[in-house]
Each structure stands twice: as C-alpha cells, then as structure tokens.
Amino acid sequence: MSILKTKNLSFTYPQISSVHHATINDISFSLDSGETIGIIGHTGSGKSTLLQTLNGLIKPDSGMVFLNEKDLWENPKEIYQKRFKVGLVFQYPEYQLFEETAYKDIAYGPKNMGLSDEEIDLRINEYSALLGITEDNLNKSPFELSGGEKRRVALAGILAMEPDVLVLDEPTAGLDPIGRTMLFNAIKEYQIKTNAGVIIVSHSMEDLSKMCDKLLVLSGGEIKKFGSVKDVFLDSAELNNLGLDVPMVTRVMLELKAKGLDIRSDIFTVDEAAKEILNFFSQSL
Ligand SMILES: Nc1ncnc2c1ncn2[C@@H]1O[C@H](COP(=O)(O)OP(=O)(O)OP(=O)(O)O)[C@@H](O)[C@H]1O
Ligand SMILES: [Mg+2]
C-alpha cells in the first residue's frame, strides 16, 4: 500500500528569478510501506528541496503530497502534526542539536508530540540501544560527542517519534565504514519493526544498492528515471550523461567481463560480486 505519494509536485524558491527553471518540477512517485527508495542526483539537482516538501517544511507551488492516501495540506493548521509522521533527518543533522544533554535532544520531538515522560523514557532507551548510544553519552552535552555519535543522537530523536515514513538526507556522509554500517543496520531494524517507508538521499551508489528497492534519479529538479535498483544501474550510459556513476563494484565486474571473463555484470554489491567471482573460479577449475 502506498504510504507516501507525490503528484506533479513543483516548487521554486521565491528569491530565484522565474527566468530559471523550477527548483523541482512535476515530481510524481509513490512509496509503499516497508519499501526503501534512494534518491540520486548531482549537487543542486533538488534532492534536499524535494525531501522538505515530503514532510511539509516546504509547501509546493503546485501538485500534491499524500500521506496514507490523505492530502498532506488538507488542513494547513495540522501540518505540524504531519511532521511527526514523516520524520526528516537533515543533511548534517549534528549541527541542529541544541539541548543541554543528548537525552533531552532525543526527547525534544516526542515531547512536542505530547507523549508522557514515561513513554518518552521508554522510547529513548529503546532507540539509544538500537543506535548504540551509551548511557554515559546520553547524559553528556551533544557538543562533547564525536561527529558520528552526534549523528546517532539526531537519528534517535527522529526514530523516537516513530514516524511512518523516515526521510534521510545523506545520513552517512562523512562517517567511517563502521559508522555507516551501524547507521544502516539501525534504519533497517526500525523498518522491520514498524514497516515504515524509507527515503534516502546519498551520493554513495554502494550504500544505495545495499539499502534500496528502487532508485529515483533527479536532474535539474526533474525525474530522469524511477525504477528498481537494477533497472537504474543497468542504464550506466544515461547515469554517466547525468554526471552520476554505477557502484564501483559494478565497474569492476564490467571490466572483468570486458577482459573476457564469463561473469555477470548486473551486480551492485560487494557480497554479490564475491559470490559471482567464487562461482566463476569454482566452475573453471
Ligand atoms: N533556501 C534556498 N533558497 C534559495 N535557493 C535555494 C535554497 N536551497 C537550495 N536552493 C537552490 O535550489 C537548488 C536545489 O538545491 P538542493 O539543496 O535541493 O539540492 P541538492 O540536490 O540537495 O544538492 P546537494 O547534493 O549539494 O545537497 C540549488 O540550485 C540551490 O542553489
Ligand atoms: Mg542536499
């Protein structure tokens, strides 16, 4: 079932002259419960702008957003409540922590939802554990935490609102491989528990191929392609035209194939590649 849908969504920042094209133009797509969509596009292609229309931070100039089949803007006075249901984790969210302690920062959203202190405490414990935030760190000022720890606190604050849709703007940018894996595992676990829909913007094709069911390619604020990960990555020529690339491991497989190895090249993760190469060698022995 579609949990979030956009129909012909367009928006231009007011200060941009109308001579320029719209910041996002005629965007229509649909996200199901439990599904993960990755958004890729060159810098300035409108990814962050699109994300902000999905939870009502930006009101589109035209077109509609549907949450659980209902118009997000049906009653503009309720838009604040809608933001609890579509949890948006900003690009570099660690710069938005502001409370005295990490605990209070995570509690901020749930408190605004009007949850009891008891329920808030339960949720903070649950999501801190999920993200590996220690008791000690919960009592520290967010400013005393490392970049990766701050990022986890910011995500815990959104998960603690238990949104139906989780929207993540470059969640792993700047994190080391262990930090990335930990964050992705937490997102996956949350999704399995709640059946939430997830939207992720990332410049890492590897991360997206691991996490996503579908990919949406944005260029100049317009959808250039929307389909399964496989469909999008198989069209590497079109991606290259847009200044984007297939995952590194896919390039390796394509080159091995070009060198005459009889292997599949429709492979987008390192795990799949390892299996395919082992399979190739075991057959050629
Ligand atoms: N607050 C703003 N006011 C005016 N113009 C803006 C604003 N935010 C973004 N823009 C412009 O809108 C366009 C799309 O920006 P957006 O931040 O959505 O791109 P992006 O795809 O998220 O890029 P990146 O990969 O660098 O994060 C850019 O041309 C940008 O300069
Ligand atoms: Mg952005």
Side-chain angles (χ1 to χ4, degrees):
M1 199 194 81
S2 155
I3 188 151
L4 188 79
K5 192 157 70 183
T6 72
K7 209 170 160 232
N8 310 113
L9 214 57
S10 296
F11 174 77
T12 310
Y13 288 102
Q15 56 272 54
I16 294 178
S17 101
S18 56
V19 182
H20 292 86
H21 61 76
T23 311
I24 54 167
N25 188 26
D26 201 22
I27 303 285
S28 301
F29 73 94
S30 171
L31 171 79
D32 286 348
S33 297
E35 187 178 49
T36 302
I37 294 178
I39 300 183
I40 57 179
H42 219 264
T43 184
S45 58
K47 303 180 297 295
S48 297
T49 306
L50 171 60
L51 296 195
Q52 289 171 72
T53 63
L54 302 180
N55 81 339
L57 270 181
I58 289 178
K59 191 174 193 296
D61 299 330
S62 59
M64 295 173 93
V65 180
F66 297 93
L67 175 64
N68 284 314
E69 311 282 342
K70 284 183 82 177
D71 177 6
L72 192 71
W73 288 95
E74 189 180 33
N75 184 351
K77 283 189 188 138
E78 285 174 8
I79 199 71
Y80 191 66
Q81 274 79 26
K82 303 282 170 52
R83 293 195 190 131
F84 303 138
K85 294 194 176 296
V86 183
L88 172 61
V89 182
F90 285 95
Q91 211 165 349
Y92 296 108
E94 52 271 34
Y95 296 121
Q96 283 158 10
L97 303 174
F98 60 91
E99 292 279 2
E100 277 161 59
T101 64
Y103 184 98
K104 285 190 183 168
D105 240 307
I106 303 172
Y108 182 79
K111 228 183 188 126
N112 282 334
M113 291 171 76
L115 299 177
S116 70
D117 287 348
E118 208 184 351
E119 173 67 20
I120 293 173
D121 194 55
L122 278 175
R123 290 191 183 191
I124 292 179
N125 287 332
E126 179 178 354
Y127 293 109
S128 299
L130 181 68
L131 283 153
I133 304 167
T134 61
E135 183 97 33
D136 190 33
N137 279 349
L138 278 179
N139 296 318
K140 282 189 190 164
S141 155
F143 302 105
E144 294 172 60
L145 303 177
S146 74
E149 287 165 345
K150 283 186 205 162
R151 189 79 61 90
R152 288 187 234 163
V153 167
L155 179 58
I158 299 293
L159 293 185
M161 298 195 293
E162 302 198 334
D164 296 338
V165 181
L166 186 58
V167 181
L168 303 144
D169 201 348
E170 305 203 26
T172 57
L175 297 185
D176 62 25
I178 295 174
R180 300 162 93 91
T181 305
M182 135 86 74
L183 215 70
F184 279 146
N185 287 346
I187 293 163
K188 269 276 166 235
E189 253 185 73
Y190 175 76
Q191 191 175 29
I192 289 165
K193 180 190 143 192
T194 59
N195 204 28
V198 176
I199 296 182
I200 305 179
V201 164
S202 176
H203 286 282
S204 164
M205 302 304 162
E206 279 76 17
D207 286 350
L208 292 170
S209 62
K210 257 188 271 171
M211 290 291 288
C212 301
D213 302 299
K214 291 183 186 158
L215 292 179
L216 187 153
V217 184
L218 268 189
S219 177
E222 294 184 356
I223 295 183
K224 292 293 171 210
K225 204 157 184 126
F226 180 46
S228 70
V229 170
K230 190 170 170 166
D231 280 351
V232 171
F233 283 148
L234 279 180
D235 198 353
S236 58
E238 167 76 2
L239 285 181
N240 287 336
N241 279 342
L242 299 171
L244 301 167
D245 209 347
V246 295
M248 180 92 79
V249 69
T250 311
R251 272 193 282 156
V252 171
M253 298 304 275
L254 283 166
E255 282 189 28
L256 288 175
K257 202 181 169 102
K259 288 197 184 324
L261 266 65
D262 182 20
I263 50 171
R264 282 172 46 212
S265 55
D266 58 338
I267 278 182
F268 313 112
T269 66
V270 173
D271 284 351
E272 278 179 300
K275 268 191 215 140
E276 180 65 10
I277 290 171
L278 282 174
N279 194 25
F280 170 78
F281 281 117
S282 67
Q283 280 178 3
S284 55
L285 280 177

